[in-house]
Amino acid sequence: LAYNWYLDNLDASWQDFYNNEPDNGQLNPQQLQNLYGGETCMWAERVDETNFEPKVWPRNSAAAERLWSAKDDTSVTKAELRLPYHRCRLVNRGIMASPIVMGPPCSMYYL
């Protein structure tokens, strides 16, 4: 259940994290009633202070949206419209999140 939420899998894209579903068929109805959220994890073997934020934030943002979205809301295309704005909010706050998709720089968004 937890494997798909490890951010240190650097081969996984933000889309892979967005497509993860907390209920992937491994839980029975009683267990599902106790599912209130989730978390992502990043082990330090593959990151240091120079690449932590660019590696973590695009995929962590996608995982967070997946966790707070309805189970049937799985459109990566729609997420591609929302997540660049969130990335710019992070950058404007000093968090060096790498780009989600190709597009205009954050200075083009009026945040």
Side-chain angles (χ1 to χ4, degrees):
L1 201 63
Y3 175 76
N4 292 328
W5 301 98
Y6 282 101
L7 297 171
D8 56 318
N9 178 5
L10 299 180
D11 294 329
S13 67
W14 74 264
Q15 293 95 332
D16 295 325
F17 283 89
Y18 186 82
N19 285 323
N20 287 334
E21 175 57 46
D23 170 27
N24 60 4
Q26 297 180 23
L27 303 176
N28 65 43
Q30 183 177 0
Q31 292 170 320
L32 283 174
Q33 289 179 344
N34 295 324
L35 183 63
Y36 294 106
E39 67 179 24
T40 59
C41 302
M42 176 56 123
W43 295 94
E45 291 89 1
R46 296 187 177 196
V47 295
D48 61 17
E49 65 277 358
T50 65
N51 67 352
F52 176 79
E53 290 177 349
K55 296 291 185 192
V56 167
W57 283 109
R59 293 170 302 140
N60 194 47
S61 297
E65 180 159 323
R66 176 74 256 138
L67 289 167
W68 74 58
S69 297
K71 185 175 182 175
D72 60 349
D73 184 10
T74 59
S75 173
V76 170
T77 304
K78 290 180 182 177
E80 284 178 349
L81 299 174
R82 292 186 297 271
L83 288 175
Y85 290 101
H86 181 63
R87 182 254 175 178
C88 289
R89 284 193 296 262
L90 293 171
V91 170
N92 288 338
R93 290 179 174 110
I95 297 170
M96 294 292 100
S98 62
I100 305 288
V101 294
M102 297 298 293
C106 287
S107 61
M108 297 294 293
Y109 296 123
Y110 300 104
L111 301 176

